[in-house]
């Protein structure tokens, strides 16, 4: 269990807040939401916080499965304790199929890649696998057509304008992009995207930085964009969305694709509603994704820090 929780520490999270805690006792791991790491301006409802915890839960499930432990997860097990998001136990043992080993390896290889992608189309076979990965976790991945990408681009632009006009958002952004070197969290500015024309703008993590790398050519011509949606829009659905996001990201990484999640279009209510048109009003949009072939596979994406392996894990015994 401890190894699974340590593997889950690699999970992506909103502003790299890593807003989860694990408590491991006997053969059970409890996953709890950590509201001390909630972003009050970006995420007042804790949608992205719980979604991030869902990603960590799926990472832990993959780490267990890949080592032959069949995990059993109970989601939101106690209505009187809403911060207890899930319990995880090992139900049985079975040899793991090779596909799981690839997903397990992808946990360490995956990074959010905000750099422009190569001018090469993403193979349709891979996109079909990504759709299936989301479906298996109880969510839907809508791959956008070019005309729909233009709508997503307009939504991302509008979301950026709305958020950057909010002083509380700017303060939160500055806090989480200027964490001390040893905090083990936050979004370091070297992982932010260079500015330049794109069909869909990615979040500007450094709106006030004086000297920024700029690319002038239009890029991301072959990037694919997708919206992940769920039937509901409540904590159970947010957890499902996180598990599905993890499955999609790890499947993409195992297929050597680069990815970057985009949640600004969801954080702003007006653009979140606009995205429902793109999903044919089937369910609730939870997060958008940019998917592509890395421009230079020999240059891995810059990495964001993590809390040390066991910093967010406590272990207690039943008779403690
Ligand atoms: C729920 C969620 C929302 C995110 N939103 C964005 C976003 O809007 N823009 C972005 O560039 N990255 C976004 N990310 C990526 C995180 O910033 C990233 O996971 C974190 O900084 C850690 O970096 P890593 O993914 O390279 O490990 C999001 C990730 C998650 C899980």
């Amino acid at each position: 269990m401890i190894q699974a929780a340590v593997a889950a520490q690699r999970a992506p999270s909103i502003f790299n807040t890593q807003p989860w805690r694990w408590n491991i006792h006997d053969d059970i791991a409890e996953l709890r939401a950590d509201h001390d790491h909630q972003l009050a301006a970006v995420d007042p409802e804790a949608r992205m916080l719980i979604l991030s915890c869902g990603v960590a839960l799926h990472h832990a499930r993959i780490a267990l499965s890949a080592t032959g432990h069949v995990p059993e997860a109970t989601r939101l097990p106690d209505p009187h304790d809403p911060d207890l998001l899930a319990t995880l136990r090992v139900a049985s043992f079975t040899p793991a199929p090779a596909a799981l080993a690839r997903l397990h390896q992808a946990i360490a290889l995956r990074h959010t890649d905000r750099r422009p992608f190569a001018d090469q189309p993403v193979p349709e076979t891979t996109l079909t696998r990504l759709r299936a990965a989301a479906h298996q976790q109880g969510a839907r991945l809508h791959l956008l057509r070019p005309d729909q990408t233009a709508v997503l681009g307009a939504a991302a632009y509008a979301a950026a304008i709305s958020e950057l006009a909010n002083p509380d958002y700017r303060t939160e952004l500055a806090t989480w992009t200027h964490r001390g070197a040893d905090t083990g969290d936050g979004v370091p500015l070297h992982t932010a995207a260079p500015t330049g024309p794109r069909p869909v703008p990615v979040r500007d993590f450094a709106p006030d930085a004086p000297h920024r790398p700029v690319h002038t050519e239009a890029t991301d011509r072959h990037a694919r964009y997708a919206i992940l949606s769920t039937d509901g829009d409540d904590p159970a659905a947010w957890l499902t969305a996180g598990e599905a996001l993890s499955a999609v990201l790890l499947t993409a990484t195992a297929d050597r694709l680069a990815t970057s999640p985009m949640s600004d279009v969801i954080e702003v209510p007006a653009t979140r509603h606009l995205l429902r048109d793109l999903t044919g009003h089937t369910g609730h949009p939870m997060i958008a994704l940019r998917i592509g072939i890395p421009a230079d596979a020999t240059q891995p994406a810059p990495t964001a820090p993590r809390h040390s392996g066991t910093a967010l894990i406590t272990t207690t015994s039943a008779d403690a």
Side-chain angles (χ1 to χ4, degrees):
M1 275 300 174
I2 292 189
Q3 281 95 327
V6 168
Q9 199 49 34
R10 297 288 334 148
S13 57
I14 181 77
F15 282 22
N16 198 20
T17 47
Q18 302 159 55
W20 50 74
R21 292 287 177 274
W22 293 94
N23 180 24
I24 299 177
H25 58 86
D26 307 305
D27 61 344
I28 294 189
E30 293 179 344
L31 173 66
R32 302 194 77 85
D34 173 12
H35 288 280
D36 288 346
H37 283 78
Q38 183 172 346
L39 302 171
V42 170
D43 189 29
E45 295 170 294
R47 182 186 278 103
M48 292 303 153
L49 183 152
I50 293 179
L51 210 149
S52 301
C53 293
V55 183
L57 175 61
H58 182 264
H59 272 46
R61 286 171 47 212
I62 291 295
L64 285 171
S65 306
T67 49
H69 304 80
V70 178
E72 185 180 86
T74 310
R75 293 158 185 90
L76 297 165
D78 183 352
H80 301 294
D81 187 0
D83 290 342
L84 178 57
L85 297 180
T87 56
L88 203 51
R89 58 181 278 276
V90 175
S92 56
F93 299 89
T94 185
L100 272 172
R102 291 181 71 227
L103 291 187
H104 192 204
Q105 284 158 9
I107 289 179
L109 298 174
R110 185 214 57 82
H111 302 292
T112 297
D113 192 343
R114 303 182 181 90
R115 301 169 301 177
F117 292 149
D119 266 346
Q120 251 180 288
V122 180
E124 287 298 327
T125 45
T126 305
L127 294 172
T128 302
R129 270 200 291 277
L130 300 187
R131 221 187 272 123
H135 183 73
Q136 249 183 15
Q137 303 302 318
R140 272 180 298 274
L141 189 71
H142 305 263
L143 289 155
L144 302 189
R145 301 186 308 264
D147 58 311
Q148 295 177 313
T149 297
V151 176
L152 180 67
Y157 190 67
I161 289 176
S162 161
E163 291 197 310
L164 288 169
N166 176 357
D168 294 337
Y169 172 84
R170 279 184 174 258
T171 304
E172 217 156 59
L173 188 72
T175 302
W176 287 92
T177 50
H178 293 86
R179 303 285 282 169
D182 53 357
T183 56
D185 55 17
V187 183
L189 287 181
H190 70 265
T191 69
T195 50
R198 291 181 162 192
V200 180
V202 296
R203 192 196 294 271
D204 187 353
F205 281 97
D208 300 319
H211 305 295
R212 318 175 57 185
V214 175
H215 62 87
T216 48
E217 284 182 28
T219 56
D220 279 351
R221 273 187 292 254
H222 288 281
R224 290 299 300 265
Y225 296 88
I227 296 172
L228 189 72
S229 74
T230 47
D231 286 340
D233 188 19
D234 57 13
W238 305 339
L239 205 55
T240 297
E243 292 182 83
L245 174 63
S246 170
V248 171
L249 294 177
L250 296 182
T251 305
T253 305
D255 277 1
R256 298 204 169 81
L257 292 181
T259 51
S260 62
M262 292 179 299
S263 57
D264 44 3
V265 283
I266 304 291
E267 291 151 19
V268 175
T271 53
R272 184 166 75 243
H273 291 135
L274 186 66
L275 260 49
R276 287 197 77 178
D277 291 345
L278 298 181
T279 62
H281 291 262
T282 52
H284 299 264
M286 288 286 136
I287 196 154
L289 262 182
R290 176 178 156 269
I291 303 161
I293 311 261
D296 179 355
T298 63
Q299 295 291 322
T303 60
R306 287 296 187 279
H307 291 297
S308 78
T310 52
L312 306 183
I313 304 172
T314 51
T315 48
T316 49
S317 69
D319 41 38

